[in-house]
Amino acid sequence: MSDLFGLAFPFFGLILLGYFCGRRVKLPEAGLAWLSFFIIYVALPALFYRIVAQTPFHELANPAFILAVLASTATMSLLALGVGLWFRKGNIGEAAIALTAGAYANVGYMGPGLTLAAFGQAAASPAALIFATDSMFFFTVVPLLMATRGRGESLGHTFVLIAKRVLTHPFNIATLLGVLAAAFEFKEPDALSRMLDYLKNAAAPCALFTLGVTVALRPLKRVPVELAPLLSLKLFVHPFVALVSLSVFGPFSPVWEQTLLLMAALPPALNVFVLARQYHVFVEEASTAVLLGTLSSVVTVTLMLYLLREHLIPLSLF
């Protein structure tokens, strides 16, 4: 149990430290802008590039695992969309953001550092594939759902926008470069390699601290009634659906299966709030979902870590 505490505490400790600072220190939210830029455009891309580039290419070419991730994410998205449509009386825009609150795990800020710490370098490949698959899925589905609201944008314009966002996202670019580096066995010069290591090591601490500050700056005014089922889907149902998906498309390496189960148990991603603010819908609810989901995950993710490390969860149901 002490090993588990030592594993989980640094991650949630950084989030709680950021949350405490965000609540106590009266600095404007604009102060996060350059740090957020550093995390999204520099540090996390360096992390994804390194973990993918250092992985044998044959491990990355795993279509069955990608299908397992996609099936799990799509199933959760349909369930969360149903909840959103029910509580929002068919409002497709609000339901689209509710979909992300119930299905979009924090695979960018929390996922890589936590899975690598829990399962070692062997978790690098599945973590990168999970991130890339989820990013492309949500950056495609959410704009398509928003386009159905009939706000004047053509379907062609929407597809161009989707392609642009998917292909130019720094995480996806870094992952693709990592795949190419792995395929051609490219080795960076020593100076560049050391700089990438510095950036990689800075990614998780900066991202987790910023996550804590960001949720602290979102005042909790009320808890919408739909958040209870949405967070229940995200924190409890998603890992079970991931286990079913692994059983259907597997078997896979135990580390790959554990990585997907742990990442499925993560709370809603900060991108839930980013998407809500971008489309000007469900903003307060998205902020509350990120805040309550992150706080609740201190218990639920720690429990998942314990179950996985003690081999108390079967990695195949049939």
Side-chain angles (χ1 to χ4, degrees), residues 193-280:
S193 179
R194 284 195 295 271
M195 186 181 76
L196 288 172
D197 284 337
Y198 290 153
L199 293 172
K200 179 188 73 172
N201 294 335
C206 291
L208 295 172
F209 180 84
T210 302
L211 174 61
V213 174
T214 303
V215 298
L217 297 178
R218 310 277 172 251
L220 182 59
K221 298 178 180 178
R222 66 183 183 88
V223 180
V225 65
E226 64 267 33
L227 288 194
L230 286 174
L231 291 179
S232 296
L233 285 174
K234 182 69 222 58
L235 297 175
F236 299 107
V237 180
H238 197 170
F240 176 74
V241 171
L243 179 58
V244 173
S245 185
L246 287 169
S247 301
V248 171
F249 292 96
F252 304 101
S253 163
V255 172
W256 285 55
E257 294 177 338
Q258 290 173 325
T259 299
L260 179 55
L261 292 176
L262 180 57
M263 293 183 82
L266 294 176
L270 188 59
N271 274 343
V272 175
F273 173 75
V274 173
L275 288 167
R277 188 165 57 178
Q278 175 184 344
Y279 290 104
H280 307 291

Side-chain angles (χ1 to χ4, degrees), residues 71-85 99 103 137 141 233:
S72 172
T73 301
T75 300
M76 291 306 306
S77 297
L78 285 173
L79 293 174
L81 180 63
V83 171
L85 289 172
L99 174 157
F137 178 85
V141 168
L233 285 174

Side-chain angles (χ1 to χ4, degrees), residues 44-45 146 156 172 219 225 249 283 309:
L44 282 174
M146 291 299 180
N172 292 336
V225 65
F249 292 96
V283 177
R309 288 171 67 88

Side-chain angles (χ1 to χ4, degrees), residues 85-150:
L85 289 172
W86 174 268
F87 282 97
R88 291 290 160 165
K89 303 185 186 311
N91 186 314
I92 192 67
E94 294 180 340
I97 304 301
L99 174 157
T100 62
Y104 195 172
N106 197 334
V107 295
Y109 277 21
M110 294 178 66
L114 187 57
T115 53
L116 287 173
F119 309 124
Q121 186 63 30
S125 298
L129 289 176
I130 292 166
F131 171 80
T133 302
D134 276 6
S135 295
M136 292 182 185
F137 178 85
F138 288 107
F139 290 158
T140 301
V141 168
V142 173
L144 279 177
L145 289 174
M146 291 299 180
T148 66
R149 296 185 298 169

